[in-house]
Amino acid sequence: MADTDNMTETKEYFLDRPQTAAPFPLKGCQNLDWGMKNRLAHIFSPASGRTVMLAVDHGYFMGPTSGLERIDITINPLLGYADTLMCTRGVLRSMTPPTFNKGVVLRASGGPSILKELSDEQIAVSMEDAIRLNVAAVAVQVFIGGEFESRSVHNMTQLVDAGNRYGVPVLGVTAVGKQLTRDAQYMRLATRICAELGATYVKTYFVSEGFETVTASCPVPIVIAGGKKMPEDEALNMAFQAVDQGAAGVDMGRNIFQSEAPVAMIQAVRKVVHENMRPKEAYDYFLSLKAASA
Ligand code: 5RP
């Protein structure tokens, strides 16, 4: 029964206080709809505005990459330390515990293997299936300068249209072909094209000269891929330089899961990304966690 008898007549409308709205912490995302922002908040920490995405989608064109032969054994123990998991729907359905309640960024393009021309990708997941999987975003590879450049851009714009219809962000992943130079000029071109054509955020590679011009000229957040495995201190230094020069985090795979101590490494990466820990300190932190777990 409704509690009408004791209904209080006292009201407080706070007439002297204008309604406020907390600013959304991500660059270029202020005008997105609520659902899109809510999904982004499952990827980027609202406190730091940054993310540590754990990328394990390599198998979609590379097969059982070192460190990913048994995702249930090597990756699932890392999930508690990631802000977001980036994977394929095959791995999500077959090996990822549904109790994982952080963001999932779903690989949504594919087709050619490492044996073929990589830019020959198609959309590989429908938006309907992405929503069924309750993902926070979909990711699509964009091959600027690649043989099938236009089609890869079209793959992205089709996903952007579908994502805008349902409030699902799209991560544009700039893919660097073997023949292309990885420099700031190329990264500015590739990231800006992704953003202009509707990517909600963009993944690119860190370049040691002029990376701040890449982040400055891209109107939406940028995260960096880790790239090939390098020594842990160098990978931590790269993550530090990237966020210091405007990146909103990392989407790191091999430099975490191929590390000699993956659980220690992902925690050290978190310190850099979310707490601006200096590379030397972060490396010492990695070594101490590694020693403690030995
Ligand atoms: C593959 C990808 C990977 O997710 C990306 O390269 C990140 O992984 P890594 O840090 O190992 O480079 O997009 O196409």
Side-chain angles (χ1 to χ4, degrees), residues 53 55-58 60-61 86-87 105-110 118-119 121 137-146 148-149 151-157 159-160 169-177 180 182 186-187 189-195 197-205 218 220-227 250-252 254:
M53 295 176 59
V56 300
D57 60 324
H58 308 58
Y60 94 94
F61 69 107
M86 181 182 182
C87 65
V105 176
L106 190 67
R107 162 63 57 185
S109 64
L118 288 179
S119 68
E121 286 197 352
V138 294
V140 52
Q141 212 82 353
V142 179
F143 296 85
I144 299 302
F148 295 94
E149 173 187 82
R151 196 179 53 230
S152 73
V153 169
H154 188 54
N155 290 342
M156 188 191 80
T157 54
L159 284 169
V160 168
V170 173
L171 169 61
V173 179
T174 64
V176 184
L180 297 169
R182 274 191 202 194
Y186 174 81
M187 299 306 172
L189 176 74
T191 56
R192 183 64 177 254
I193 288 172
C194 288
L197 292 175
T200 323
Y201 72 114
V202 181
K203 173 161 108 168
T204 193
Y205 289 88
C218 182
V220 297
I222 282 186
V223 293
I224 60 150
V250 298
D251 184 15
M252 196 175 265
R254 288 162 288 181

Side-chain angles (χ1 to χ4, degrees), residues 8-294:
T8 175
E9 287 301 314
T10 312
K11 313 267 189 205
E12 174 56 278
Y13 294 105
F14 299 101
L15 296 179
D16 57 335
R17 287 170 58 181
Q19 181 172 312
T20 57
F24 194 66
L26 286 180
K27 171 182 166 178
C29 296
Q30 306 76 0
N31 298 324
L32 299 178
D33 194 18
W34 194 94
M36 189 84 86
K37 285 179 174 160
N38 183 255
R39 281 193 161 94
L40 286 170
H42 285 96
I43 300 171
F44 294 90
S45 153
S48 67
R50 292 180 182 164
T51 185
V52 174
M53 295 176 59
L54 178 61
V56 300
D57 60 324
H58 308 58
Y60 94 94
F61 69 107
M62 287 167 61
T65 311
S66 302
L68 298 181
E69 300 89 337
R70 284 290 304 272
I71 285 179
D72 55 327
I73 295 173
T74 57
I75 298 302
N76 289 354
L78 304 177
L79 293 180
Y81 304 101
D83 295 310
T84 305
L85 179 68
M86 181 182 182
C87 65
T88 58
R89 62 179 162 182
V91 160
L92 196 59
R93 284 200 166 99
S94 60
M95 281 182 283
T96 308
T99 46
F100 177 68
N101 60 6
K102 298 178 192 160
V104 168
V105 176
L106 190 67
R107 162 63 57 185
S109 64
S113 72
I114 36 169
L115 306 178
K116 294 282 192 178
E117 165 54 41
L118 288 179
S119 68
D120 189 18
E121 286 197 352
Q122 311 266 358
I123 293 176
V125 173
S126 68
M127 196 52 72
E128 183 192 8
D129 204 32
I131 293 166
R132 184 179 296 116
L133 288 166
N134 200 27
V135 302
V138 294
V140 52
Q141 212 82 353
V142 179
F143 296 85
I144 299 302
E147 190 176 336
F148 295 94
E149 173 187 82
S150 289
R151 196 179 53 230
S152 73
V153 169
H154 188 54
N155 290 342
M156 188 191 80
T157 54
Q158 283 180 285
L159 284 169
V160 168
D161 282 335
N164 284 347
R165 200 169 304 133
Y166 299 109
V168 179
V170 173
L171 169 61
V173 179
T174 64
V176 184
K178 289 190 190 91
Q179 71 285 13
L180 297 169
T181 321
R182 274 191 202 194
D183 60 13
Q185 187 180 20
Y186 174 81
M187 299 306 172
R188 284 194 299 268
L189 176 74
T191 56
R192 183 64 177 254
I193 288 172
C194 288
E196 294 264 356
L197 292 175
T200 323
Y201 72 114
V202 181
K203 173 161 108 168
T204 193
Y205 289 88
F206 178 72
V207 288
S208 50
E209 287 193 15
F211 184 72
E212 71 278 16
T213 66
V214 181
T215 56
S217 58
C218 182
V220 297
I222 282 186
V223 293
I224 60 150
K228 286 188 186 144
K229 172 77 175 71
M230 57 183 106
E232 280 79 0
D233 55 341
E234 289 177 28
L236 291 166
N237 185 49
M238 179 179 70
F240 179 83
Q241 298 302 330
V243 293
D244 193 47
Q245 293 175 49
V250 298
D251 184 15
M252 196 175 265
R254 288 162 288 181
N255 277 292
I256 292 173
F257 62 71
Q258 291 178 352
S259 164
E260 49 203 41
V263 173
M265 184 59 179
I266 193 169
Q267 290 181 83
V269 173
R270 290 192 70 78
K271 287 280 181 195
V272 170
V273 169
H274 291 301
E275 298 175 30
N276 298 311
M277 186 181 268
R278 313 272 324 168
K280 159 105 185 47
E281 238 183 297
Y283 184 57
D284 289 345
Y285 182 65
F286 162 76
L287 292 176
S288 67
L289 290 177
K290 184 182 154 199
S293 66

